[in-house]
Amino acid sequence: MDNGNGKRTHSDIEKAALFFHQHPVPGKLEIRATKALDNQRDLALAYSPGVAAPCLEIQENPEAAALYTTRANLVGVVSNGTAVLGLGNIGPLASKPVMEGKAVLFKKFANIDVFDIEIDTPEIDQMVATIAALEPTFGGINLEDIKAPECFEVEQRLKERMNIPVFHDDQHGTAIIVAAAILNGLAIAGKTIEDVKIVTSGAGAAALACLNLLVSLGAKIENIWVTDRFGVAYKGRIEEMDRWKEPYVKDTKARKLADVIGGADVFLGLSAAGVLTPDLLKLMAHKPLVLALANPSPEIMPEVARQARADAMICTGRSDFPNQVNNVLCFPYIFRGALDCGATAINEDMKMAAVHAIAGLAREEPSEVAAQAYSGETPIFGPEYLIPSPFDPRLILRIAPAVAKAAHETGVASRPITDMPAYLDRLNRFVFRSGLVMKPVFSAARTSPKNRIIYADGEDERVLRATQVVIEEGIAHPTLIGRPGVIETRLQRYGLRIRPGKDFDLINPEDDPRYRDYVELLIKITGRRGVTQEAARTMVRTDNTVIAALALQRGEGDAMLCGLEGRFSKHLRNVSLIIGSRPDVRHRDLSTLSMLITQRGPLFFTDTYATLDPSAEEIAEMTLLAAEQVRRFGLEPKAALLSHSDFGSRDTPSAYKMRRAAEIIHEIAPELECDGEMNADTALSPLLRQRVYPHSNLKDEANLLVFPNLDSANIAMTAVKQIMDALHIGPILLGSAMPAHILTPSVTSRGIINMTAIAVVEAAQNARETAN
């Protein structure tokens, strides 16, 4: 906005955006090395003379570039800045923030690396020559914000010249999502795409790409009417006509949108605000599908459309309304699938595969992340939920494999994916970073006979979502503690199909026939530990953790999870009181283990939540218990007992405690790879450890970090979690007589699922040990 002095004034959001782009460093991207350059040998391998080897391999076999370079995971986002969304022809330099943003989306949603390239080339021939010359650098090209009709010509010529995917997202990304929304909208309306009348407002790149894809999906050209700012595309019209619109030109006397909107089943708006008036909407067929995609103001506002036609289904391009048509729903995942199979193009079959994958996902039960993206209201397939949320993590799991499969079937995959289950595992590990380390745990849980899990917080949305997943995946048979009416209402609200009595068991804390039995058991267990009869009755009536622990003691479950509400210490006190510790655990105080999934692999921390200042004996015992848990993940524990002292460099009570704990462990479990006391960097760097103390019992990089007290453990764990954006699994309670784990209020439904699998495997292992 001009302030009258020829200078722009900024709104609050603009000021925030400028600050965001400037700090802590300008821009939204950086380049990071994937190989260490720690010494002269590394440098020799990375550059001269070692780099000659991969160069010669690629010269002999160009396909080897996918093995030795980043090309197979590198996309060029290219723009000349002539049609930047909402800003118009602002030029290539001014478009750079948008292209950097596109690059961030590629990385965030599909782990694809991007170079954004802004080219000062308004002419088609120069643009095509410039982009085509980039083929040796990239595995794919994403054209962005190039105005029509030039964008059609540029893309077509590049596809003919280049042997890598070329994809103009403004056209095809929009088209794929629109097509998915239309397929689902027509299914709800009971209509078929072959029979419906489609009317557009707008005939630019996106609109024409939408129509072309809809025709590929079965729409009849004779049923499609195109209008733009000059009216209907009729035979003989000369204003803004080109060969790209020609297939949709009609020999008709109709000249305006009002002349052709009558009886339309679908309105596709990619034009301007207010184009579709309430009166025009009333002329459309029953259950009309309105895609009003002009931004920031659509062709008709949803609330206005609903007043005019209560039966209308409405999509917009805005995030504050349901059914947002957002290109991030598809372009990262289409490229993911194309790059992974070495596709030489993105063809019509691959686009249609993406359409069906997106449409199918909307019909599945919505995920927790999708529900959060809709302000806590769980979307259920229907008029208000025709397409998934852009933040649904399952998008990559559906679209990328479908695209790769279509590429293979149509002969454009140079590296076809032959092991689709392994490929899905790899994608799943990217989505849920716990995938790799949790895989053996989930495999064991699915075959465990001890799979009855009790959820103390049964009314919580995260528990309900986790319950559906563990049932579907065969991980556990859940028992939920909660009020039946509340659970039924929330299951319906969240769009979950599981039902109490049929899919899971229920304990009603307000009215359960086992109430007296629970009270009697609690008095029996705790009567000599200060719990009176009146206190026992109150605890059983008001504390779900107490109920869960008593149910576990009575054999009504094999494991329990609690802790989603309230303080950890309170839950720990109740679990310790009722469940207690294992017979072979010498120290009554329970301890915890936390796992962080980092970019360098899993790291285990103990004790992060329970024991304030453990003794050397307690540290030794919790280390051995933690090592048991680490092995359940299919990993060999490598324990480092951490201290401010590094192999005797300091003589303090804390250092001595860790030194003594290491000695105890060596006596009890000499087979365990463990050493201490040592600094954290010494633990994590074998090279540094070799310099400090070459005779250490710890030979490799430590994966189990044992701390001298609760403060240091919790601070280190939470700091690493935040700094490295690591995924936390746990806390895992160590040493309890039965599998009972206390989660934290910040846990997600995926975290509950992870901990469910851990608890089930622990229960099975305990049962085997008892039987032996």
Side-chain angles (χ1 to χ4, degrees), residues 722-745:
Q722 188 68 22
I723 293 170
M724 299 188 68
D725 190 26
L727 176 66
H728 178 217
I729 295 178
I732 302 168
L733 198 60
L734 302 175
S736 58
M738 304 178 76
H741 298 289
I742 306 165
L743 308 182
T744 62

Side-chain angles (χ1 to χ4, degrees), residues 164 469 684 692:
I164 58 175
V469 174
L684 297 173
V692 175

Side-chain angles (χ1 to χ4, degrees), residues 449-450 761-772:
K450 296 290 184 178
V761 171
E762 184 181 354
Q765 183 171 325
N766 289 352
R768 287 195 298 270
E769 292 173 355
T770 301
N772 293 334

